[in-house]
Each structure stands twice: as structure tokens, then as C-alpha cells.
Amino acid sequence: MTIQIDSIRTVAVLGAGTMGNGIAHVFARAGYDVILRDVEQRFLDRALDTISRNLDREVKKGKLTEAEKPVVLQRLNPVTDMAALARADFAVEAVPERLDLKTAVLREADAALPERAILASNTSSISITTLAAVTKRPERFIGMHFMNPVPVMTLVEVIRAIQTSDETLAATNALCEKLGKKPIPANDAPGFVSNRVLMPMINEAAFCVMEGVATPEAVDAVMKLGMNHPMGPLELADFIGLDVCVDILDVLYKGFGDSKYRACPLLRKLVAAGWLGRKSGRGFYKFA
Ligand SMILES: NC(=O)c1ccc[n+]([C@@H]2O[C@H](COP(=O)([O-])OP(=O)(O)OC[C@H]3O[C@@H](n4cnc5c(N)ncnc54)[C@H](O)[C@@H]3O)[C@@H](O)[C@H]2O)c1
């Protein structure tokens, strides 16, 4: 079945958290009618507030005019009812990273969406092949791994499950371009490319601190000044959340059965202390 990119007009986003609000923002900004679905109205209200503030930032930067802002906001339809997906041409799932939860949400979405619609998951680490298999549209299922913050970051890692059709891949790539994003293809494997390369670097940086090789500041300075990274690996780990880093390392460790992905004990210790990084006020660094 050829999928006409211009026939995609309405996009559903499942989950209005950190990633969901960013994904809804970029689709609305690109002219799509967006159905934003979360389980409670308060999460939707919070997402719309965040989107409004992020649009203000774009107006200040001159990326959007003052007059365009209400037009973009108008394209967002917040809903709690999954039945609203009946008019969506494309859907992106961005609910928390738990297989049981994603399975339940994807099954519900699959039943509510029209047959022609493509269903994408923004998972960071769960197998796209496994998720595709829980739906009745495995050939129209794909991974669309947006980066945080979504309105700012250009990359979308597009992950093809073994079941994904060529048409679904082509339509998803074309849609990314319409959003002004750069789709980079990868096949389904633990951590895809982004986390498979990034997480071992963060892990090794944590080992350097644990073994007393260098302080977090020194490790980050080496990578920024010497390797031209805009952020040091430990600064980045604090930004991502140390609990999220440990979870992803565990996925790599289990998925490959290779000890090189063993999470650094210091990372686990910081998580056990509740020092999760920026979101909890302390990780490798302290945040005021
Ligand atoms: N945060 C990141 O930096 C990042 C980056 C790339 C990918 N991801 C992936 O994106 C996904 C979402 O992560 P997040 O950081 O936005 O999480 P989050 O916790 O900020 O948001 C998740 C949202 O989903 C909602 N939700 C829960 N159950 C739901 C349901 N049944 N239907 C609809 N909504 C439901 C929650 O109420 C919440 O608002 C995860 O798979 C994560 O791995 C996250």
C-alpha cells in the first residue's frame, strides 16, 4: 500500500509528558492537526502550558511571529478519550518507558486508529520489533526516536522493525522532513545507535570518577575542551536522569549479554540515594 505523505493531516500523540508535548509542538508548528492524548486533564493542561511557553521562546528568537502562536495552539486538541484517534492518519506513542504500559497503550491505540494509519513509538530502548508484534499493523509500525528537547533537536532516529514495510519507512522519513527534522535510519537492535554509543561513554565517565581517575568537572572538561562535545558526559547524564541511564544500560546488558554494558556501581549508588540528576536537584552535580 503506497502511503501518500500529503494525505497525512491529523497526527495523534499519546502521552503529554516531556517528549509528548515537544512532539505535539513540532507537529502543530508544521501545520498538522494534533490530537494530544493523556490519561488525566491535568497532564494535558500542563503540556499546553509548556507548549505555550516554548512557543513564546520561539517568538522571541524570531522563529515564529506573535500572530502565528495562537494559530499553532489552535491546532492542538487535548483529549483523554482514546476514541478520538479514529480520525488520525499517523500516531506517535510517548508514554513512560515500561513494556507493560506501552503494550496496553499500543493495543488500545491500534484498535482505535483507522486501518491506514501508521503507528510509531518514541521508545528509547524497547525493541520496536516486539512492540510491532503486539499490534495488528506490524508492517505499519515503526520507531521514531525524537531527541530532548524536541523543538530544538534536529535528529529523529527512525528505527525499522523486522516487520516494517518500505512504504512505512518512506512515509515516516518524509514526515520527519516536513517537521524540519533530519531522519537517520537504523535497524532495530538494543539501544539503536544513539544510546548504544552514548551510554557506554557516560558509563565509562562514571567509572573514571568512581576509580578516582578524575573529578566529574575534569572528566567533562576533557570531553568538552578536547573532543569538542558541547556538554560533558556527566553533565549530560544529569540532564537525562541517572535512573534513565541505568535503565538503558540494563537494556543493553540484557539485550547483548555482554559485560561491556555493565552499569557502573557508582551510577547505581547515586540512583539508590535518590540523586537522579537535574530533576531531583542532585546527581554528579548539585543544582540550586
Ligand atoms: N525524556 C527524554 O529525554 C526522552 C528522550 C527520547 C525518548 N524518550 C522516550 O519517550 C517516552 C516518554 O518519555 P517522557 O520522558 O516524555 O516521559 P514522561 O513521564 O515525561 O511522560 C509520559 C506521559 O505519558 C502519560 N501516560 C501514562 N499512561 C498513559 C496512557 N495510557 N495514555 C496516554 N498517556 C499516558 C503520563 O501521564 C505522562 O504525561 C519514553 O518511552 C522514553 O523512553 C524520552
Side-chain angles (χ1 to χ4, degrees), residues 15 17-19 37-38 43 94-97 102 105 122 124 146 148:
T18 308
M19 297 304 286
R37 196 258 171 174
D38 209 304
F43 299 133
V95 303
E97 189 78 346
K102 288 209 189 274
V105 170
N122 183 51
S124 318
F146 287 88
N148 184 20

Side-chain angles (χ1 to χ4, degrees), residues 198-223 229 231-237 249 264 266-267 270 284-285:
L198 174 65
M199 288 300 157
M201 180 181 70
I202 286 175
N203 206 35
E204 216 47 48
F207 272 112
C208 285
V209 174
M210 187 181 82
E211 292 170 7
V213 177
T215 60
E217 290 81 358
V219 171
D220 282 344
V222 167
M223 298 308 287
H229 289 199
M231 278 173 106
L234 299 172
E235 264 181 283
L236 182 56
L249 282 161
C264 172
L266 176 60
L267 275 177
L270 297 179
F284 283 98
Y285 295 93

